[in-house]
Amino acid sequence: MIFVTVGTHEQAFNRLVQYMDEWAHEHDEEVVMQVGFSTYEPKYSTWKKMFSYQEMIKYINEARIVITHGGPSSFIMPLQVGKVPIVVPRKKQYDEHVNDHQVTFCEAVKNRLKNIILVEDEKELEATIDNYYSIVDSMTVTQQSNNSRFCAAFEKSVEELVS
């Protein structure tokens, strides 16, 4: 299953929603979408305007691939469960946002942290989905949870105290 989320921004993201709906029609894989304020209504995908936080976590955990818009809250969630998201930033030229800050921000994240797959042109999604695992395998993702680091350091301190 592929899970797509466009966040809660009040402008439509029809470009991504329609592309993924048409992709679902042509492929034998379920696509579940949170379409927000998009005006295109999917015909071949399971969708809702908004999912609860619990539903979002459920779909992200179950998904083979997570595709998000360029809002950090949306692409951090899959990273937290160890998944590399495909990120399609909203663009001003399509009236998807007020400016191109998502493009700029996502390029910076991709270049610095190297933990997202950035796709600016939705027409590149098919090849990205087809090659997802080889793309992920070639990435140098070394993200480690701050919680894990803290717990390991705390455990080491406790062991030193009681030894």
Side-chain angles (χ1 to χ4, degrees), residues 64-119:
R64 178 176 77 87
I65 297 174
V66 178
I67 301 174
T68 78
H69 72 125
S73 293
S74 292
F75 68 73
I76 286 173
M77 194 179 286
L79 288 169
Q80 289 175 325
V81 297
K83 295 190 179 184
V84 176
I86 298 173
V87 180
V88 183
R90 293 169 175 266
K91 293 186 175 181
K92 180 179 177 17
Q93 78 183 76
Y94 301 114
D95 199 30
E96 297 163 348
H97 221 306
V98 297
N99 58 32
D100 284 334
H101 73 277
Q102 283 196 356
V103 175
T104 304
F105 179 71
C106 292
E107 285 172 349
V109 170
K110 177 187 172 251
N111 293 333
R112 277 193 189 151
L113 301 177
K114 299 175 179 28
N115 62 357
I116 64 172
I117 300 168
L118 179 60
V119 175

Side-chain angles (χ1 to χ4, degrees), residues 15-73:
R15 178 171 59 104
L16 177 58
V17 172
Q18 184 171 352
Y19 182 90
M20 286 308 300
D21 190 46
E22 291 169 0
W23 186 93
H25 181 60
E26 297 168 6
H27 295 82
D28 189 28
E29 183 165 8
E30 181 183 15
V31 174
V32 177
M33 290 195 264
Q34 177 268 319
V35 302
F37 292 94
S38 300
T39 56
Y40 175 85
E41 292 191 357
K43 300 169 192 69
Y44 310 105
S45 306
T46 302
W47 66 279
K48 264 173 84 170
K49 290 224 174 256
M50 301 291 173
F51 288 112
S52 70
Y53 180 77
Q54 290 77 17
E55 289 172 310
M56 293 285 287
I57 294 292
K58 174 186 172 288
Y59 285 122
I60 286 170
N61 278 317
E62 292 175 0
R64 178 176 77 87
I65 297 174
V66 178
I67 301 174
T68 78
H69 72 125
S73 293

